[in-house]
Amino acid sequence: AQKITQTQPGMFVQEKEAVTLDCTYDTSDPSYGLFWYKQPSSGEMIFLIYQGSYDQQNATEGRYSLNFQKARKSANLVISASQLGDSAMYFCAMREHSGNTGKLIFGQGTTLQVKP
Amino acid sequence: DVKVTQSSRYLVKRTGEKVFLECVQDMDHENMFWYRQDPGLGLRLIYFSYDVKMKEKGDIPEGYSVSREKKERFSLILESASTNQTSMYLCASSTRVYEQYFGPGTRLTVT
């Protein structure tokens, strides 16, 4: 069965440093997509970055990059040069492309706190 | 900009009441979703809809029903609210291949 695991309930990082948030997944579908969302204390879910299972290169969006290791089934989010506004909960999610419904499966989330 | 709106940010209801949570999207998306979010459990899918009048159960449909009479609107119904349904409820919409867009969430308290 498909599953997403985030093993870090909480993380701290010093402002301006880089931080890696871990995500592992399990699926038997060869075609899938991996997403990261940010949820600030206000509650809205903000889409950050996407990686397709057949993409050859790791996805990047500004200060966000996704370290995609297919053989290890991991899709870690790297935030470079952390800012105070990065303090939030972060969710990893996966969509299997079979079925074509756009359903996402979410991990438990990681709370990131950026220290000044 | 894609916009997903939810009828209330905060809601307090009594046990046994019938509760309606409304979600509207303005991007003509085929898919719409209802999740609940609880600490330590992430987001869990309650129901989703891939077309008007079409719906499918998610992972935790018990105690909930949904309605999608128009493409832009997806309603979540708690037929008889119970205290264990106190939670944050998030609505989302998407096309079939791209990311989901979320509404601001409704924090429901059942007393």
Side-chain angles (χ1 to χ4, degrees):
Chain A
Q2 57 270 36
K3 191 177 178 183
I4 290 277
T5 303
Q6 294 178 254
T7 56
Q8 306 154 313
M11 293 274 290
F12 288 93
V13 65
Q14 206 67 36
E15 194 179 8
K16 298 180 187 176
E17 291 187 352
V19 62
T20 298
L21 306 183
D22 294 342
C23 173
T24 58
Y25 61 92
D26 192 16
T27 179
S28 55
D29 192 335
S31 179
Y32 53 89
L34 296 155
F35 300 78
W36 277 93
Y37 283 84
K38 172 185 178 182
Q39 187 181 42
S41 56
S42 53
E44 79 272 25
M45 294 279 282
I46 302 165
F47 165 70
L48 295 178
I49 195 166
Y50 168 79
Q51 179 86 40
S53 58
Y54 294 119
D55 293 344
Q56 295 296 313
Q57 302 213 343
N58 286 345
T60 60
E61 287 287 345
R63 294 186 299 111
Y64 304 108
S65 60
L66 201 152
N67 184 2
F68 181 45
Q69 297 188 44
K70 198 169 181 177
R72 301 175 75 174
K73 292 191 174 178
S74 75
N76 299 339
L77 177 70
V78 181
I79 305 174
S80 62
S82 297
Q83 301 172 356
L84 295 177
D86 293 335
S87 294
M89 180 162 276
Y90 290 81
F91 289 96
C92 180
M94 177 176 67
R95 182 184 61 223
E96 292 179 337
H97 290 174
S98 62
N100 226 14
T101 62
K103 267 176 66 175
L104 290 179
I105 301 155
F106 285 84
Q108 307 92 316
T110 295
T111 299
L112 176 67
Q113 291 193 45
V114 181
K115 294 181 176 179
Chain B
D1 266 356
V2 177
K3 198 158 184 185
V4 181
T5 56
Q6 293 182 230
S7 47
S8 307
R9 288 301 301 270
Y10 300 93
L11 209 52
V12 180
K13 295 292 182 180
R14 292 191 181 275
T15 302
E17 278 193 80
K18 190 168 186 175
V19 181
F20 292 86
L21 303 182
E22 304 284 339
C23 176
V24 178
Q25 52 97 359
D26 66 358
M27 286 302 293
D28 202 36
H29 285 166
E30 301 95 341
N31 302 329
M32 295 188 75
F33 308 84
W34 275 107
Y35 297 91
R36 65 176 281 177
Q37 181 181 4
D38 300 289
L41 297 177
L43 276 72
R44 293 179 292 166
L45 182 65
I46 304 171
Y47 266 97
F48 69 100
S49 168
Y50 50 90
D51 204 347
V52 175
K53 296 191 189 291
M54 306 302 286
K55 61 188 178 187
E56 277 198 29
K57 293 179 180 179
D59 301 316
I60 51 163
E62 296 79 17
Y64 304 94
S65 62
V66 290
S67 171
R68 192 164 181 202
E69 296 295 318
K70 293 185 177 182
K71 192 173 185 180
E72 68 270 18
R73 188 179 297 268
F74 192 35
S75 303
L76 180 70
I77 304 153
L78 288 66
E79 295 288 343
S80 177
S82 63
T83 54
N84 63 11
Q85 292 178 309
T86 291
S87 187
M88 169 74 105
Y89 290 87
L90 290 161
C91 174
S93 73
S94 76
T95 62
R96 292 215 162 82
V97 295
Y98 294 116
E99 68 270 21
Q100 290 185 12
Y101 294 87
F102 283 81
T106 296
R107 198 169 289 281
L108 172 68
T109 303
V110 183
T111 61

